[in-house]
């Protein structure tokens, strides 16, 4: 009689363990599928931010160092680094900040957070030297930094990067867009 009760108890324990294992497997599959969905959304947003950055860099400005050759934003960043002046007498850095501000205001509606979900953006272009040897310029120098809205640790963000080779270093361009969680 005791061995029959023991066998029944063992069967109940094995059945209980089987049920727990099945529940854990279902939970694991559910979590895996939900994380894959989030990754695809982030990948789509990242592609959109990359496309926005590329479009902005290709935009032709009204600044010409040598008339009639008007600079793209990409070229204007290089000209700003070299402290050149547009043909109209305005500094390329001032022209760059003005143009970027207008482009971002037109592209990213940060004033309408309710519908767009965008909290803010940060755009930074900085020079980084490749070699630490004799360089006339600092190893790291900010060229232009523009931000609008609120980007903090609590917001979700997506970034795009671009690099422009230049003399003994690179100009690193980063566009970060922050969203409502």
């Amino acid at each position: 009689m005791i061995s029959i009760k023991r066998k029944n108890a063992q069967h109940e324990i094995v059945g209980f363990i089987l049920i727990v294992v099945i529940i854990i497997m279902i939970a694991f599959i559910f979590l895996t599928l939900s994380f894959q969905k989030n990754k695809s959304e982030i990948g789509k947003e990242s592609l959109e931010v990359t496309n926005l950055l590329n479009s902005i860099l290709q935009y032709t400005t009204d600044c010409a160092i040598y008339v009639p050759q008007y600079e793209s934003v990409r070229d204007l960043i290089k000209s700003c680094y070299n402290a050149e002046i547009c043909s109209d007498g305005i500094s390329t850095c001032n022209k760059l900040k003005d143009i970027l501000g207008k482009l971002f205001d037109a592209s990213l509606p940060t004033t309408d957070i309710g519908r767009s979900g965008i909290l803010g953006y940060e755009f930074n272009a900085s020079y980084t030297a490749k070699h630490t040897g004799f360089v006339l310029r600092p190893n790291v120098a900010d060229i232009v930094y523009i931000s609008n809205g609120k980007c903090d640790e609590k917001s979700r963000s997506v970034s795009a990067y671009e690099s422009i080779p230049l003399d003994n270093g690179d100009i690193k361009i980063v566009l970060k867009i922050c969203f409502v969680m």
Side-chain angles (χ1 to χ4, degrees):
M1 195 81 175
I2 293 178
S3 70
I4 293 176
K5 286 185 180 181
R6 232 185 210 175
K7 284 186 179 182
N8 284 340
Q10 287 175 348
H11 287 291
E12 288 178 14
I13 290 173
V14 169
F16 178 72
I17 291 174
L18 266 161
I19 291 172
V20 169
V21 167
I22 291 172
I23 290 173
I24 289 173
M25 287 175 54
I26 291 172
F28 179 74
I29 292 170
F30 175 75
L31 288 174
T32 303
L33 291 176
S34 66
F35 282 129
Q36 285 178 350
K37 182 179 176 185
N38 289 340
K39 284 182 183 177
S40 66
E41 289 173 5
I42 290 172
K44 180 181 176 188
E45 291 169 352
S46 178
L47 180 62
E48 290 172 354
V49 173
T50 300
N51 289 341
L52 175 63
L53 178 61
N54 287 331
S55 297
I56 287 172
L57 293 176
Q58 292 175 7
Y59 178 79
T60 303
T61 68
D62 61 348
C63 173
I65 306 298
Y66 305 104
V67 177
Q69 184 178 353
Y70 291 95
E71 304 277 307
S72 67
V73 170
R74 179 188 312 273
D75 294 334
L76 201 58
I77 291 171
K78 289 190 259 185
S79 297
C80 176
Y81 171 74
N82 291 322
E84 295 178 321
I85 297 188
C86 298
S87 61
D88 60 2
I90 298 174
S91 159
T92 53
C93 294
N94 289 339
K95 185 71 84 167
L96 179 63
K97 288 178 186 176
D98 181 51
I99 289 170
L100 285 173
K102 288 177 183 175
L103 286 173
F104 284 122
D105 288 345
S107 303
L108 301 171
T110 56
T111 56
D112 191 13
I113 294 171
R115 283 189 274 170
S116 69
I118 297 173
L119 291 175
Y121 66 86
E122 293 178 354
F123 178 90
N124 187 29
S126 59
Y127 173 81
T128 305
K130 290 182 184 175
H131 306 289
T132 57
F134 180 73
V135 179
L136 295 176
R137 304 210 180 199
N139 287 342
V140 176
D142 283 335
I143 299 170
V144 64
Y145 175 80
I146 294 177
S147 67
N148 189 4
K150 180 175 80 169
C151 283
D152 57 18
E153 305 84 42
K154 296 177 185 174
S155 59
R156 185 171 56 96
S157 66
V158 179
S159 299
Y161 307 93
E162 181 78 24
S163 183
I164 301 173
L166 190 69
D167 54 35
N168 286 333
D170 292 324
I171 295 176
K172 305 281 187 200
I173 301 169
V174 179
L175 172 60
K176 176 181 174 183
I177 298 180
C178 299
F179 299 92
V180 176
M181 282 295 249

